[in-house]
Amino acid sequence: MKILCNKADLLKGVSTVSKAVPSKTTMPILECILIDATSAVIKLTANDMDLGIQTEIKGTIVEKGMIAIDAKILSEIVRKLPDSEISIETNDNLQTTITCEKAKFDLAGKSADEFSFLPKIEKDVSINISEFTLKEVIRQTLFSIADNETNKLMTGELFEFSGSTLRVVSLDGHRISIRKIELKEDVESKKLVVPGKTLSDITKIVSGEIDKDVVLSYTNNHIVFEFDNTTVVSRLIEGDYFKIDQMLSNDYETKVKINKREFLNSIDRATLFVKEGDKKPIILDIGEEAIELKIKSQIGSMDESINIEKEGKDLMIGFNPKFLIDALRVIDEDEVTLYLMNAKAPCFIKDEKENYIYLILPVNFNVGA
């Protein structure tokens, strides 16, 4: 095999597929990137058996062939080469030579026969979503997944298709994020639980342009995202997702409309008095025309008032400030509405059209603390 390609194109391709290279594995072949030059285009592939990524790059195929090269070594070599044309050539013994201007590297490759190719997915259903929309949906929900694997389902997000609507849900036991979007066409009802890591990796490689689409397809075991000559294939998380609708309610006794930016900035200032790992709540004292935000720790205290529009009862309630900040940062509207029942019931934060709903559980607090 011998290929020639521009450094920028090769580096982008290697960086894209490297996200599917496992950090730890007992199978050395999974630590490799497969360079496939057996057809008319150059393809790079990485696969950790749960997540596989393949991308096509521009270049010239001088001699057809395939080789698997250690991903970390390949990435470091390409990154440090001059901005010029790179040649990758292999011989019958899998010895690989990478050349760029006056730099030359010789390294041992591995046989492509050992490599785990991406599974063939029967695309019964294909759904087009703009790159921008998909990236926004993930941005507005991903922070609510659990960061440990005590409950595998909590490390993923529910993709629920129904008619022309896609609802994406994430939760970690303390909060729930829900984002709804309208699809371009009706699809059959289906529920999939997509690993959070897969979605995180997609946001890093999707450009996010409004006029470009991601083609999404799935089976009972896999989901596929196709965009920009790149294919991402991920295993789904098995199991029935939590019954979200049972946790949602339209009942409230206090409704507060507040300027999002003022609210976010005030909570952000309050966290100056919270050390890393501290569980000091921020207390919201909701009055007739204003909400008073209070926090007190060993470092100091803060008290700030923000004007609001309120319906219903006065209320004092405490929250983890980080959980409030996470949601407010991803809501794009100027105003948000809080719906509350009492100091022990969940609070709902919604945007104007209720395309985004965030449920957060309150925390106990001591007013005098």
Side-chain angles (χ1 to χ4, degrees), residues 268-284:
D268 207 19
R269 286 189 285 272
T271 59
L272 293 170
F273 292 111
V274 182
K275 286 183 179 177
E276 187 88 26
D278 264 1
K279 294 184 178 178
K280 286 288 179 185
I282 187 163
I283 299 168
L284 309 185

Side-chain angles (χ1 to χ4, degrees), residues 17-29:
V17 301
S18 287
K19 291 171 177 58
V21 176
S23 53
K24 292 180 181 178
T25 178
T26 56
M27 299 171 64
I29 193 66

Side-chain angles (χ1 to χ4, degrees), residues 121-126 215 217-219 224 226 231:
I121 303 297
E122 295 294 330
K123 296 171 186 172
D124 299 331
V125 180
S126 290
V215 180
S217 49
Y218 49 81
T219 66
V224 184
E226 294 175 278
T231 301

Side-chain angles (χ1 to χ4, degrees), residues 254-256 284-292 306 308-316:
T254 305
K255 177 182 176 182
V256 174
L284 309 185
D285 191 353
I286 302 167
E288 194 57 43
E289 296 180 349
I291 185 169
E292 198 173 349
I306 302 174
I308 58 170
E309 293 177 30
K310 190 201 79 170
E311 295 176 18
K313 298 180 179 179
D314 292 354
L315 178 65
M316 187 178 287

Side-chain angles (χ1 to χ4, degrees), residues 1 23 47 95 103 105 107 136 142 152 160 189 194 228 234 243 248 252 281 299 316 343 351:
M1 182 197 82
S23 53
N47 186 6
Q95 195 66 20
F105 296 85
L107 59 154
E136 280 294 285
L142 192 62
K152 190 80 173 174
E160 182 179 9
S189 295
V194 186
D228 279 346
S234 172
K243 298 188 187 309
L248 306 179
Y252 64 89
I299 302 171
M316 187 178 287
D351 62 11

